[in-house]
Amino acid sequence: TVTAVQANFYQVRLDDPLDWGSEDLESTNSLLCTRRALLKKLGQSVMVGDRVQVEDPDWTGGRGAISAVLTRQTMLARPPVANATQIFLVFSLAQPEIDPLQLTRFLLTAQQTRMQIGVGLSKADLVPEAVQRDWCDRLQQWGYRAIALSLVNEQGLGEVQEQLQGQLTVLSGPSGVGKSSLINHLIPHLNLRTGLVSQRWHQGRHTTRHTELFNLPQGGLLADTPGFNQPDLPIHPGDLAQLFPEIQRQLNHQSCHFNDCQHLQEPGCVLDKGWERYDHYVQLLEEITAQYDPSLHSG
Ligand code: GDP
C-alpha cells in the first residue's frame, strides 16, 4: 500500500495497512520505491492508498520498484487518495455554526463517492448539551449517525476513534471547523515523526503540497489532508433523489407512477414530503437543473 508520494518516490508498506497499530510507526516493513518505466509509458498513475506490486526489493537499502497498480475500489481527486473507504464530515456546533444547506451539500458530495459516511459535530464545548442532542437527533432523521466531539474537553473522541477503526478515512468539511486540529490529535506523532524516509523527503514536505496516510493508534488509516472543503455538485438532476437517505428509505418498498418522477408535483408520486430536508431537495434540484448541461453528458 502506497502511504506517501513525493516527486518520483513512493513509500510502500508491505503489511496489511488496516492492521497497523501505533507501534508500527518505526517499522522497517516499508520500502522507498520508484515507478517502473512501463507504468509511466502506460500513463498509469500511482496514488496514496494504491495497492501495488513491488519488484526487486532491496531489503538492506530499503528500496524497490512498483511494477503494477491493482484496480482501485474508490478514487478521490482532492486529496488524491485511492481506496479510501470512508468520508468523515466535520461540522462545528459553533464558530462557525452549522449551515444546514451547506451540510446537505457536503453530505451529497460524500454520498456520491459511495464511501461510508461518518459525521462529527465539533466544538461541543461551546454549546449546551441540549443543542448537541438536538443536532444529533436531526442528523439521525436525515439518515446519519453523528458524534458530538470536542478537543477542549475530549468529549466523543473515543467514539470518533471507533468510527475510524478498520477504515481508510478522509476528513472533510468547511474551513475553521477544526479538521486540522482533529487530525493532529488523532495522529500524535505527525509533527515529530521520523522513519525510513530520507531527510530530503521531509524537507520537501513543507514546500510541496502532498497527501500522506497515517496509521491510527486504535487501527485504521487517516489521510493527513482534508478533502473537498468546498463541494460543487456535478450531479445529474435525475440522480439527486438517490443521494437523500430519506427518499431512498421511502422508495425501497414502493415506486412512483413515472420512472423519471422528480418528486415535485407529479401525479402518481408516492413520496411523503413531510420531512425536514425536502426543501433542500427542491432547492438543490432547481439549482442543478439550471446548471445542468446535457451536452457535457451525452455519449
Ligand atoms: P480547519 O480549518 O477545519 O482545519 O480548522 P482548525 O483545525 O484550523 O481549527 C479552527 C479553530 O477552531 C482553531 O482556532 C482551533 O483551535 C479551534 N478548535 C478546534 N477544535 C476545537 C474544539 O474542540 N473546541 C473549541 N472551542 N475550539 C476548537
Side-chain angles (χ1 to χ4, degrees):
T1 302
V2 177
T3 55
V5 178
Q6 178 84 44
N8 294 318
F9 288 100
Y10 306 88
Q11 190 181 20
V12 179
R13 288 285 302 234
L14 303 174
D15 42 6
D16 184 352
L18 291 175
D19 288 343
W20 300 346
S22 58
E23 72 279 8
D24 292 327
L25 277 171
E26 306 295 330
S27 165
T28 51
N29 207 2
S30 164
L31 295 175
L32 192 58
C33 296
T34 52
R35 178 172 57 144
R36 277 276 140 88
L38 178 67
L39 288 184
K40 249 176 261 184
K41 217 184 281 169
L42 292 171
Q44 171 68 62
S45 63
V46 180
M47 297 163 80
V48 158
D50 265 327
R51 310 299 294 259
V52 297
Q53 185 177 313
V54 172
E55 278 182 356
D56 302 334
D58 161 14
W59 297 107
T60 33
R63 300 290 181 130
I66 295 172
S67 54
V69 178
L70 277 61
T71 307
R72 292 169 181 150
Q73 302 301 310
T74 63
M75 195 173 116
L76 277 183
R78 272 184 309 148
V81 176
N83 300 317
T85 61
Q86 174 169 254
I87 300 282
F88 190 73
L89 278 186
V90 183
F91 268 71
S92 55
L93 288 156
Q95 299 177 21
E97 238 172 76
I98 299 174
D99 168 351
L101 186 61
Q102 187 191 35
L103 177 51
T104 288
R105 287 176 193 274
F106 273 87
L107 286 167
L108 294 174
T109 303
Q111 290 273 168
Q112 271 191 304
T113 67
R114 298 179 183 280
M115 293 175 202
Q116 181 173 310
I117 299 174
V119 180
L121 302 177
S122 62
K123 309 194 191 182
D125 55 284
L126 297 178
V127 301
E129 212 183 304
V131 174
Q132 302 173 26
R133 217 171 317 123
D134 185 53
W135 264 112
C136 288
D137 290 348
R138 269 173 91 173
L139 264 302
Q140 177 93 36
Q141 298 287 323
W142 297 9
Y144 304 93
R145 194 176 81 92
I147 302 167
L149 65 106
S150 165
L151 293 176
V152 170
N153 58 26
E154 308 215 329
Q155 179 189 337
L157 298 178
E159 269 178 89
V160 171
Q161 278 167 343
E162 248 170 64
Q163 174 88 38
L164 304 183
Q165 250 172 38
Q167 306 283 338
L168 195 174
T169 303
V170 174
L171 254 51
S172 170
S175 63
V177 298
K179 295 181 301 296
S180 317
S181 311
L182 182 60
I183 290 170
N184 280 322
H185 174 86
L186 291 168
I187 311 170
H189 304 298
L190 184 60
N191 300 315
L192 309 172
R193 210 181 61 102
T194 55
L196 168 89
V197 185
S198 70
Q199 194 58 37
R200 212 175 115 226
W201 178 294
H202 283 286
Q203 280 163 8
R205 195 185 147 76
H206 303 292
T207 51
T208 318
R209 196 180 162 279
H210 80 297
T211 300
E212 214 170 322
L213 297 183
F214 289 92
N215 44 314
L216 297 165
Q218 269 72 22
L221 289 170
L222 184 67
D224 69 343
T225 313
F228 52 94
N229 58 4
Q230 216 129 65
D232 40 4
L233 295 176
I235 299 171
H236 184 291
D239 294 336
L240 184 65
Q242 289 172 25
L243 304 177
F244 281 83
E246 303 96 317
I247 298 181
Q248 271 324 292
R249 266 195 307 247
Q250 292 192 49
L251 298 185
N252 263 345
H253 33 259
Q254 53 182 349
S255 42
C256 300
H257 180 73
F258 295 110
N259 268 340
D260 58 352
C261 185
Q262 291 201 310
H263 317 297
L264 299 172
Q265 314 287 338
E266 298 93 332
C269 176
V270 297
L271 193 79
D272 167 21
K273 293 155 177 101
W275 40 282
E276 186 191 350
R277 293 203 301 165
Y278 182 68
D279 287 348
H280 291 180
Y281 171 72
V282 173
Q283 184 176 337
L284 292 171
L285 183 64
E286 215 168 89
E287 180 184 312
I288 63 179
T289 304
Q291 289 167 359
Y292 182 64
D293 180 353
S295 67
L296 293 177
H297 293 258
S298 61

